[in-house]
Amino acid sequence: MPAAGLASLLCFWTAAHAQPSTDQILAEMGFSPAEQRRVLDGEFVTNKLGGVSDRDLAYTVAFLVKSSPEALSEQVLDGTRVADDAQVRAYGALSGPGTLNDFSALQITDDEARALSSAEPGGATNFSAGEYASFKALRGQATQTVLEQLRRTLLTRYQSYQTLGLAGIAPYVRGRSGAADVASDLTKAVQSMVPVQKHLPELYTVLLDYPRAPAPAIRQSFRWVKSIIRDKPTYLLDHVLVASDGGARAVVRRTFYVSTGYNAEQSVAGLLPVEGGTVVLYMTHAFTDQVAGSGGSVKRSIGSRVMADRMREIFETARKRIER
């Protein structure tokens, strides 16, 4: 499937001519007639998606949920669906300029504090040079002191992104190997959505030029999340956007900071109303240095399949909770 698959779907959905049927949309997305039947019968069906860089793990998932696009988008926007991921340990909303009190539910253990204060450039942690220095200065200090620095770090990154958008995302220092430019990868993910630029220009412009672009019709929310991913405490910052078009919704989740494990992620979901529920067409680009370089093509292929399988588990949990 081409990288602009979901974008083409959104273009297709908003076209001036008669609304296409669900099977036409799925065909536009590259799903065969047999795969279309499986989606409408309630199965999760994955498809390939072209990456935008050598760090990109990209894939699509299509499935049916017995709920409306409006209800689903509201639940994503307000954070209701965050806990569907069993890896999540805590999360909280961020609004306005944010305050340290917004992170009051974020706690760490003694071992987690030692890991943060002992982090070094070139390791698995995603910090800027200044962030590494701030945590290094706290080696041997109390866990509460390290926690307070973690909260300040997350708040500062949130405020920088809120003020400058993609340009405000500080690169991750990689020691002698340079730095990981998260903003560049997220920008490429947006630029691959050419049909969205043409047919949903407000959403496209906000994704590319937030916060400079006015977006009165697009609803937005922010949150922090603490997860345990592959046995490692991981702290994330998310920006969620919802655009409406009649009964359909387009939902974007941009994870613009990840403390370890991978670099960033941007997902786009088309929520299309059908009889008895909603067809969810989900596309994601997750960026990690671990699949770049020698043997990268094989690593990306395997990594994309693993991530798609993991997301199917999360979506299955969410669907059961929604439909019960």
Side-chain angles (χ1 to χ4, degrees):
M1 179 186 295
L6 184 52
S8 296
L9 156 70
L10 296 174
C11 155
F12 202 6
W13 175 263
T14 57
H17 52 70
Q19 176 183 320
S21 64
T22 299
D23 58 342
Q24 287 176 305
I25 296 174
L26 291 173
E28 177 75 8
M29 291 283 291
F31 290 87
S32 69
E35 290 171 328
Q36 295 172 31
R37 288 192 294 271
R38 289 168 56 198
V39 170
L40 296 176
D41 286 342
E43 291 188 44
F44 288 85
V45 181
T46 60
N47 231 324
K48 293 182 179 180
L49 181 68
V52 299
S53 80
D54 63 356
R55 294 171 296 280
D56 189 6
L57 298 178
Y59 59 90
T60 62
V61 182
F63 58 97
L64 181 68
V65 180
K66 295 178 181 179
S67 184
S68 68
E70 180 181 10
L72 293 174
S73 62
E74 287 296 320
Q75 292 168 14
V76 175
L77 192 67
D78 67 20
T80 301
R81 304 267 58 94
V82 174
D84 293 331
D85 185 351
Q87 300 172 121
V88 172
R89 296 295 181 269
Y91 62 94
L94 298 167
S95 61
T99 68
L100 288 173
N101 191 55
D102 293 333
F103 298 90
S104 60
L106 175 60
Q107 301 294 327
I108 60 174
T109 66
D110 293 345
D111 286 343
E112 290 167 0
R114 281 191 289 270
L116 287 167
S117 61
S118 62
E120 293 283 355
T125 307
N126 294 329
F127 284 153
S128 67
E131 290 164 348
Y132 274 115
S134 295
F135 280 102
K136 184 177 181 179
L138 300 180
R139 290 179 180 175
Q141 298 292 312
T143 294
Q144 183 63 30
T145 302
V146 179
L147 172 60
E148 291 170 359
Q149 179 57 46
L150 175 61
R151 291 172 174 170
R152 285 193 295 271
T153 297
L154 294 174
L155 177 60
T156 299
R157 279 195 172 263
Y158 163 69
Q159 291 174 333
S160 181
Y161 175 80
Q162 196 182 52
T163 301
L164 299 172
L166 293 173
I169 303 176
Y172 307 146
V173 173
R174 292 293 186 244
R176 293 181 179 178
S177 60
D181 188 351
V182 172
S184 175
D185 282 333
L186 291 174
T187 298
K188 291 175 183 176
V190 177
Q191 291 172 337
S192 72
M193 302 162 61
V194 175
V196 170
Q197 180 183 14
K198 181 177 180 180
H199 295 276
L200 292 173
E202 185 178 45
L203 177 60
Y204 180 89
T205 301
V206 170
L207 288 171
L208 202 58
D209 294 332
Y210 173 86
R212 295 179 298 277
I218 296 177
R219 303 179 64 192
Q220 304 179 53
S221 65
F222 292 87
R223 68 180 61 96
W224 62 264
V225 180
K226 177 183 178 179
S227 294
I228 304 298
I229 302 176
R230 296 183 180 177
D231 299 322
K232 291 185 178 181
T234 306
Y235 314 99
L236 309 95
L237 294 172
D238 283 339
H239 183 193
V240 179
L241 307 94
V242 175
S244 302
D245 183 49
R249 299 290 186 272
V251 179
V252 178
R253 179 177 59 84
R254 171 182 284 168
T255 302
F256 59 92
Y257 177 68
V258 184
S259 66
T260 190
Y262 61 107
N263 297 353
E265 184 174 1
Q266 183 166 282
S267 61
V268 185
L271 309 182
L272 302 182
V274 295
E275 184 177 355
T278 298
V279 168
V280 179
L281 297 165
Y282 178 90
M283 173 184 74
T284 195
H285 294 275
F287 300 98
T288 172
D289 297 335
Q290 298 174 34
V291 297
S294 178
S297 179
V298 174
K299 293 176 184 177
R300 288 189 291 275
S301 178
I302 295 173
S304 295
R305 288 198 300 270
V306 170
M307 286 196 65
D309 288 343
R310 176 59 187 151
M311 282 307 305
R312 288 175 62 177
E313 293 176 4
I314 295 172
F315 287 143
E316 182 60 63
T317 297
R319 186 166 69 174
K320 288 178 179 177
R321 291 176 176 175
I322 292 167
E323 297 179 352
R324 67 186 176 189

